[in-house]
Amino acid sequence: MSFTDLGLRAEILRAIAEEGYTEPTPIQAKAIPVVLAGRDLMAAAQTGTGKTAGFTLPILQLLSTKPAAARGKPRVLVLTPTRELAAQVEESVRTYGHFLPLKTALVFGGVGIGPQIKALKAGVDILVATPGRLLDHVGQRTVDLSGIEILVLDEADRMLDMGFIHDIKKVLALVPKQKQTLLFSATFSDEIRGLANGLLRDPQLVEVAPRNATADLVTQRVYPVDKAKKRDLLIKLIDDHHWHQVLVFMRTKHGANTLAEKLNKADISAAAIHGNKSQGARTRALADFKSMKLNVLVATDIAARGLDIDQLPHVVNFELPNVPEDYVHRIGRTGRAGSSGHAVSLVCIDELGLLRDIERLLKKPIEKIVLPGFEPDPSIRAEPIENGKRSGQRPGQRSGQSKGGQRQGNVPKPGAPQRSGKPPQRGNPARGNASQHHSGSRGR
Ligand code: AMP
């Protein structure tokens, strides 16, 4: 199938061609006809699948062919969980809409509201926003959502995880009942289905496989190693293999900061990116990373979610995520756009239960390599996983569900270097007694 087969107009096809896209990705091939037909859509697709163009292209087509129902008001609202994702979606809208006379605006928190008010006043067709700041604008009457014809909830699962449900409900009360709604989510949890039931009318379901769960393009490896030696092992891997553009995942903001500092001390240029960083610092870090001025970006899950970094060669899980699906999201940062990628996980004894959950989700074991000098010490006992300072967990939060406790996991026998395709045989699935509190880059 080609983009021309999808019936997109010449201006859009030209913009796509300039981006170098030759054929639609699976989510685009499935979603675009549904959106063009005016139907509601519930799509399971994550970042890396081309989902943004999957909704942006047909929306541009619809807007440029249909006259506006209400003049001077935004016609499309795209809600995203994070500032980074909002910025990336808006950039995509600008790119794909380059040859069309449509106006876009970007609204998110953490930056001055003045320029946003100015942009809104100038008239906007497509508004991309995070929920908190959007409601601030509504409160100040600087935006009127009564002309919305199409509503997109992007990464809806993440918005719910981040506690945006009340904000979303407030927004829903402000947009017209008669509209087209497109909901994108990495997973269809019960919570997402609940939201969709109240929101979508006779939706068409579209699902594509998590891009990298099965992709041969990504080499996945686990390095069993003691917690205290992870940092040295990471430095060794980066140095020995001359890795550039390494995205490293940490569970906590504090951990991300400390690791970035230590890497810099070891002469590996690194920056941390997480919700406590100012918008300016995050944008700068991302730009430096993309332009290869920075070698390593150390990120928390929320901050990394939605980052559009093309052809990222290396992803390192310095710590495994509490939720197995997050592993798939993380490694989805590599092996994109037809290039091969490496996903490496440094796994200590405390994390063997998490590793087992991940392998169960992937339905395959991940290759283990023990490096000489980094053999796990068999006398070290597993401890509950530390998730950093966080006070209390919201009920129903999805990560770190179990009460936790001490875990006795097996460690591969010292020896060098070992390779085995077998998942750990034992190991209590308990996941530690603290849970990940997703407190990343909220939209306010
Ligand atoms: P997304 O899942 O929307 O974050 O898109 C992931 C990446 O795929 C982005 O860098 C897009 O520019 C790229 N992309 C989107 N559609 C296509 C396509 N049809 N062919 C090649 N690359 C694409």
Side-chain angles (χ1 to χ4, degrees):
M1 179 184 288
S2 73
F3 280 109
T4 322
D5 298 334
L6 291 166
L8 296 170
R9 56 191 296 160
E11 294 90 336
I12 300 174
L13 293 175
R14 187 171 157 205
I16 295 169
E18 288 200 355
E19 282 303 287
Y21 305 168
T22 48
E23 57 179 323
T25 65
I27 187 71
Q28 290 162 4
K30 288 182 180 173
I32 290 173
V34 176
V35 182
L36 286 178
R39 286 195 61 178
D40 281 4
L41 173 73
M42 179 160 171
Q46 44 184 266
T47 298
T49 55
K51 69 178 166 67
T52 315
F55 62 80
T56 306
L57 300 177
I59 284 177
L60 289 168
Q61 172 94 4
L62 290 176
L63 288 202
S64 55
T65 32
K66 263 200 315 190
R71 281 171 65 93
K73 297 177 189 173
R75 301 174 67 186
V76 175
L77 172 63
V78 183
L79 279 183
T80 77
T82 64
R83 302 158 189 177
E84 282 82 6
L85 186 62
Q88 283 162 19
V89 169
E90 202 246 1
E91 199 184 311
S92 296
V93 176
R94 280 182 193 278
T95 304
Y96 306 136
H98 186 68
F99 301 106
L100 292 169
L102 293 167
K103 287 190 187 164
T104 66
L106 178 59
V107 152
F108 57 66
V111 293
I113 200 165
Q116 296 175 359
I117 294 176
K118 215 170 141 198
L120 290 167
K121 269 201 184 135
V124 167
D125 297 296
I126 301 171
L127 177 59
V128 185
T130 53
R133 177 57 71 87
L134 178 67
L135 289 171
D136 291 344
H137 279 283
V138 170
Q140 295 194 25
R141 297 184 191 282
T142 46
V143 69
D144 178 351
L145 300 177
S146 65
I148 295 297
E149 297 163 39
I150 305 175
L151 171 69
V152 182
L153 299 180
D154 196 10
E155 302 203 348
D157 51 340
R158 209 33 74 135
M159 285 201 270
L160 296 188
D161 278 356
M162 290 170 73
F164 279 136
I165 186 66
H166 298 296
D167 285 353
I168 291 173
K169 286 193 171 153
K170 281 185 202 158
V171 173
L172 293 179
L174 295 164
V175 295
K177 282 223 155 21
Q178 268 299 327
K179 65 183 171 309
Q180 187 178 6
T181 307
L182 319 175
L183 183 148
F184 284 79
S185 179
T187 52
F188 287 164
S189 62
D190 288 348
E191 223 183 343
I192 287 290
R193 284 178 196 279
L195 176 70
N197 278 344
L199 184 61
L200 306 177
R201 277 167 310 152
D202 186 25
Q204 179 88 36
L205 297 187
V206 163
E207 218 158 338
V208 291
R211 173 133 174 198
N212 288 308
T214 52
D216 298 331
L217 288 171
V218 183
T219 323
Q220 300 176 57
R221 287 208 174 119
V222 162
Y223 288 89
V225 60
D226 292 335
K227 199 168 12 184
K229 286 194 179 166
K230 282 188 178 185
R231 199 187 303 142
D232 289 343
L233 176 56
L234 177 62
I235 292 170
K236 182 179 167 53
L237 290 170
I238 293 173
D239 280 345
D240 284 3
H241 301 287
H242 307 291
W243 284 351
H244 289 283
Q245 283 200 310
V246 190
L247 180 61
V248 178
F249 283 95
M250 298 291 287
R251 273 192 219 109
T252 67
K253 299 172 199 170
H254 175 69
N257 283 337
T258 315
L259 182 63
E261 275 168 32
K262 301 282 180 195
L263 290 173
N264 280 312
K265 281 198 182 128
D267 275 339
I268 296 171
S269 58
I273 186 165
H274 54 64
N276 285 2
K277 292 267 174 182
S278 72
Q279 186 57 36
R282 286 199 261 169
T283 309
R284 225 172 13 253
L286 185 60
D288 287 348
F289 184 63
K290 281 187 175 184
S291 67
M292 309 248 267
K293 261 191 237 158
L294 261 186
N295 207 6
V296 179
L297 201 57
V298 189
T300 53
D301 282 288
I302 291 279
R305 175 96 180 181
L307 288 184
D308 178 18
I309 309 162
D310 282 339
Q311 309 189 354
L312 191 58
H314 306 285
V315 165
V316 175
N317 297 303
F318 194 88
E319 297 162 325
L320 288 181
N322 285 335
V323 182
E325 285 81 5
D326 282 347
Y327 175 87
V328 179
H329 293 156
R330 287 179 178 190
I331 71 166
R333 321 294 339 159
T334 184
R336 303 170 113 195
S339 65
S340 61
H342 295 110
V344 159
S345 303
L346 312 186
V347 178
C348 70
I349 189 166
D350 306 345
E351 299 169 301
L352 293 180
L354 297 177
L355 177 60
R356 201 173 58 171
D357 291 349
I358 289 165
E359 291 180 321
R360 223 179 254 157
L361 178 76
L362 297 176
K363 298 195 176 68
K364 64 176 186 190
I366 306 172
E367 184 186 20
K368 320 280 179 310
I369 300 176
V370 177
L371 278 194
F374 293 92
E375 299 87 351
D377 176 350
S379 69
I380 293 179
R381 290 276 186 238
E383 285 177 12
I385 288 170
E386 262 282 346
N387 282 310
K389 291 175 269 161
R390 63 185 62 80
S391 50
Q393 171 189 2
R394 277 180 285 114
Q397 200 161 358
R398 70 178 179 143
S399 48
Q401 297 97 332
S402 73
K403 292 267 188 302
Q406 297 283 323
R407 185 185 324 118
Q408 300 277 312
N410 67 329
V411 254
K413 290 236 158 55
Q418 289 181 358
R419 283 166 185 262
S420 97
K422 287 197 188 119
Q425 296 302 301
R426 289 190 293 129
N428 184 331
R431 293 170 166 172
N433 56 3
S435 72
Q436 172 79 21
H437 183 89
H438 289 299
S439 56
S441 51
R442 298 188 49 133
R444 242 183 240 273

Coordinates of all heavy atoms in Angstrom, one line a residue, residues 296-336:
V296 N 25.3 10.5 26.5 CA 24.4 9.7 27.3 C 23.3 10.6 27.8 O 23.5 11.7 28.3 CB 25.1 9.0 28.5 CG1 24.1 8.2 29.3 CG2 26.2 8.2 28.0
L297 N 22.0 10.1 27.7 CA 20.9 10.8 28.3 C 20.4 9.8 29.3 O 20.1 8.7 29.0 CB 19.9 11.1 27.2 CG 18.8 12.1 27.5 CD1 19.4 13.5 27.8 CD2 17.9 12.2 26.3
V298 N 20.3 10.3 30.6 CA 19.8 9.4 31.6 C 18.4 9.8 31.9 O 18.2 11.0 32.3 CB 20.7 9.5 32.9 CG1 20.3 8.4 33.9 CG2 22.2 9.4 32.6
A299 N 17.4 9.0 31.8 CA 16.0 9.4 31.9 C 15.2 8.5 32.8 O 15.5 7.3 32.9 CB 15.4 9.4 30.5
T300 N 14.2 9.1 33.3 CA 13.2 8.3 34.0 C 12.1 7.9 32.9 O 12.1 8.5 31.9 CB 12.5 9.1 35.1 OG1 12.0 10.3 34.5 CG2 13.5 9.4 36.2
D301 N 11.3 6.9 33.2 CA 10.4 6.4 32.2 C 9.5 7.5 31.7 O 9.3 7.6 30.5 CB 9.5 5.3 32.8 CG 10.3 4.0 32.9 OD1 10.5 3.4 31.8 OD2 10.6 3.6 34.0
I302 N 8.9 8.3 32.6 CA 7.9 9.3 32.2 C 8.6 10.3 31.3 O 8.1 10.7 30.2 CB 7.3 10.0 33.4 CG1 6.4 9.0 34.1 CG2 6.5 11.2 33.0 CD1 5.1 8.9 33.6
A303 N 9.8 10.7 31.7 CA 10.5 11.7 30.9 C 10.8 11.2 29.5 O 10.8 11.9 28.5 CB 11.7 12.2 31.6
A304 N 11.1 9.9 29.4 CA 11.6 9.4 28.1 C 10.4 9.0 27.2 O 10.6 8.9 26.0 CB 12.4 8.1 28.4
R305 N 9.3 8.8 27.8 CA 8.1 8.4 27.1 C 7.8 9.4 26.0 O 7.7 10.6 26.2 CB 6.9 8.4 28.0 CG 5.6 8.1 27.4 CD 5.3 6.6 27.4 NE 4.1 6.4 26.8 CZ 3.5 5.2 26.7 NH1 4.1 4.1 27.2 NH2 2.4 5.0 26.1
G306 N 7.7 9.0 24.8 CA 7.3 9.9 23.7 C 8.5 10.6 23.1 O 8.3 11.4 22.1
L307 N 9.7 10.5 23.7 CA 10.8 11.2 23.0 C 11.0 10.6 21.6 O 11.1 9.4 21.5 CB 12.1 11.0 23.8 CG 12.3 11.6 25.2 CD1 13.7 11.3 25.7 CD2 12.1 13.1 25.1
D308 N 11.0 11.5 20.7 CA 11.2 11.0 19.3 C 12.7 11.2 18.9 O 13.1 12.3 18.5 CB 10.3 11.8 18.4 CG 10.5 11.4 16.9 OD1 11.0 10.3 16.7 OD2 10.1 12.1 16.1
I309 N 13.4 10.2 19.1 CA 14.8 10.2 18.8 C 15.0 9.1 17.7 O 14.9 8.0 18.0 CB 15.7 10.0 20.0 CG1 15.3 10.9 21.1 CG2 17.2 10.2 19.6 CD1 15.8 10.5 22.5
D310 N 15.3 9.6 16.5 CA 15.4 8.6 15.4 C 16.6 7.8 15.5 O 17.7 8.3 15.9 CB 15.4 9.3 14.1 CG 14.0 9.8 13.7 OD1 13.1 9.2 14.3 OD2 13.9 10.7 12.9
Q311 N 16.5 6.5 15.2 CA 17.6 5.6 15.0 C 18.6 5.6 16.2 O 19.8 5.7 16.1 CB 18.4 6.0 13.8 CG 17.5 6.1 12.6 CD 18.3 6.2 11.3 OE1 19.5 6.4 11.3 NE2 17.5 6.2 10.2
L312 N 18.0 5.6 17.4 CA 18.8 5.5 18.6 C 19.5 4.2 18.7 O 18.8 3.1 18.7 CB 17.8 5.8 19.8 CG 18.5 6.0 21.1 CD1 19.4 7.2 21.1 CD2 17.4 6.2 22.1
P313 N 20.8 4.1 18.8 CA 21.4 2.8 18.7 C 21.4 2.0 20.0 O 21.4 0.8 20.0 CB 22.9 3.1 18.2 CG 23.1 4.6 18.6 CD 21.7 5.2 18.6
H314 N 21.4 2.7 21.1 CA 21.6 2.0 22.4 C 20.7 2.4 23.5 O 20.6 3.6 23.8 CB 23.0 2.2 22.9 CG 24.1 1.8 22.0 ND1 24.4 0.6 21.6 CD2 24.9 2.6 21.2 CE1 25.4 0.6 20.7 NE2 25.7 1.8 20.4
V315 N 20.0 1.4 24.0 CA 19.2 1.7 25.2 C 19.7 0.8 26.3 O 20.0 -0.4 26.2 CB 17.7 1.4 24.9 CG1 16.9 1.3 26.2 CG2 17.1 2.4 24.0
V316 N 19.9 1.4 27.5 CA 20.4 0.7 28.6 C 19.4 0.8 29.8 O 19.0 1.9 30.2 CB 21.8 1.2 29.1 CG1 22.2 0.5 30.4 CG2 22.8 1.1 28.0
N317 N 19.0 -0.4 30.3 CA 18.2 -0.4 31.5 C 19.1 -0.5 32.7 O 19.6 -1.6 33.0 CB 17.2 -1.6 31.5 CG 16.2 -1.5 30.4 OD1 15.5 -0.5 30.3 ND2 16.2 -2.5 29.5
F318 N 19.5 0.6 33.2 CA 20.4 0.6 34.4 C 19.7 -0.1 35.5 O 20.3 -0.8 36.3 CB 20.8 2.0 34.8 CG 22.0 2.1 35.7 CD1 23.3 2.1 35.2 CD2 21.8 2.1 37.1 CE1 24.3 2.2 36.1 CE2 22.8 2.1 38.0 CZ 24.1 2.2 37.5
E319 N 18.4 0.1 35.6 CA 17.5 -0.6 36.5 C 16.3 -1.1 35.7 O 15.8 -0.3 34.8 CB 17.0 0.3 37.6 CG 18.1 0.8 38.5 CD 17.7 2.1 39.3 OE1 17.0 2.9 38.8 OE2 18.2 2.2 40.4
L320 N 15.8 -2.3 36.0 CA 14.7 -2.8 35.3 C 13.4 -2.0 35.7 O 13.3 -1.6 36.9 CB 14.5 -4.3 35.5 CG 15.5 -5.2 34.8 CD1 15.1 -6.6 35.2 CD2 15.5 -5.0 33.3
P321 N 12.5 -1.8 34.9 CA 11.2 -1.1 35.3 C 10.4 -2.1 36.1 O 10.5 -3.3 36.0 CB 10.5 -0.8 34.0 CG 11.0 -1.9 33.0 CD 12.4 -2.2 33.4
N322 N 9.5 -1.5 36.9 CA 8.6 -2.3 37.8 C 7.5 -3.0 37.0 O 7.0 -4.0 37.3 CB 7.9 -1.4 38.8 CG 8.9 -1.1 39.9 OD1 9.9 -1.8 40.2 ND2 8.6 0.0 40.6
V323 N 7.2 -2.3 35.9 CA 6.1 -2.9 35.0 C 6.7 -3.5 33.8 O 7.4 -2.7 33.0 CB 5.1 -1.7 34.7 CG1 4.0 -2.2 33.8 CG2 4.6 -1.0 35.9
P324 N 6.5 -4.7 33.5 CA 7.1 -5.4 32.3 C 6.9 -4.6 31.0 O 7.7 -4.5 30.2 CB 6.5 -6.8 32.3 CG 6.0 -7.0 33.7 CD 5.7 -5.7 34.3
E325 N 5.6 -4.1 30.9 CA 5.3 -3.4 29.6 C 6.3 -2.2 29.4 O 6.6 -1.8 28.3 CB 3.9 -2.9 29.6 CG 2.8 -3.9 29.4 CD 2.5 -4.7 30.6 OE1 3.0 -4.4 31.7 OE2 1.7 -5.7 30.5
D326 N 6.7 -1.6 30.5 CA 7.6 -0.4 30.4 C 9.0 -0.9 29.8 O 9.6 -0.1 29.1 CB 7.9 0.2 31.7 CG 6.7 1.1 32.2 OD1 5.9 1.4 31.3 OD2 6.7 1.5 33.3
Y327 N 9.3 -2.1 30.0 CA 10.5 -2.6 29.3 C 10.4 -2.5 27.8 O 11.3 -2.1 27.1 CB 10.8 -4.1 29.8 CG 12.0 -4.7 29.1 CD1 13.3 -4.5 29.5 CD2 11.8 -5.5 27.9 CE1 14.4 -5.1 28.9 CE2 12.9 -6.0 27.2 CZ 14.2 -5.9 27.7 OH 15.2 -6.4 27.1
V328 N 9.2 -3.0 27.3 CA 9.0 -2.9 25.9 C 8.9 -1.5 25.4 O 9.5 -1.2 24.3 CB 7.6 -3.6 25.6 CG1 7.3 -3.6 24.1 CG2 7.7 -5.1 26.0
H329 N 8.4 -0.6 26.2 CA 8.4 0.8 25.8 C 9.8 1.3 25.7 O 10.2 2.0 24.8 CB 7.7 1.7 26.8 CG 6.2 1.5 26.8 ND1 5.4 1.8 27.9 CD2 5.4 0.9 25.9 CE1 4.2 1.4 27.7 NE2 4.1 0.9 26.5
R330 N 10.6 0.9 26.7 CA 12.0 1.4 26.8 C 12.8 1.0 25.5 O 13.4 1.8 24.9 CB 12.7 0.9 28.0 CG 12.2 1.6 29.3 CD 12.9 1.0 30.5 NE 12.6 1.6 31.7 CZ 13.3 1.3 32.8 NH1 14.3 0.5 32.8 NH2 13.0 1.9 34.0
I331 N 12.7 -0.3 25.3 CA 13.5 -0.8 24.2 C 12.9 -0.4 22.8 O 13.6 -0.4 21.8 CB 13.8 -2.3 24.2 CG1 12.5 -3.1 23.9 CG2 14.4 -2.8 25.5 CD1 12.8 -4.6 23.6
G332 N 11.7 0.1 22.9 CA 11.1 0.7 21.7 C 11.8 2.0 21.2 O 11.5 2.5 20.2
R333 N 12.7 2.5 22.0 CA 13.5 3.6 21.6 C 14.6 3.3 20.6 O 15.2 4.2 20.1 CB 14.2 4.3 22.8 CG 13.4 4.4 24.1 CD 12.2 5.2 24.1 NE 12.1 6.2 23.0 CZ 11.0 6.7 22.6 NH1 9.9 6.3 23.1 NH2 11.0 7.6 21.7
T334 N 14.9 2.0 20.5 CA 16.0 1.6 19.6 C 15.5 0.8 18.5 O 14.3 0.4 18.4 CB 17.1 0.9 20.4 OG1 18.2 0.7 19.6 CG2 16.6 -0.4 21.0
G335 N 16.3 0.6 17.5 CA 16.0 -0.3 16.4 C 14.8 0.3 15.6 O 14.1 -0.4 14.9
R336 N 14.8 1.7 15.5 CA 13.7 2.3 14.8 C 14.1 2.6 13.4 O 15.3 2.5 13.0 CB 13.3 3.6 15.5 CG 12.9 3.4 16.9 CD 12.8 4.7 17.5 NE 11.4 5.0 17.8 CZ 11.0 6.2 18.1 NH1 11.7 7.2 18.1 NH2 9.7 6.3 18.5

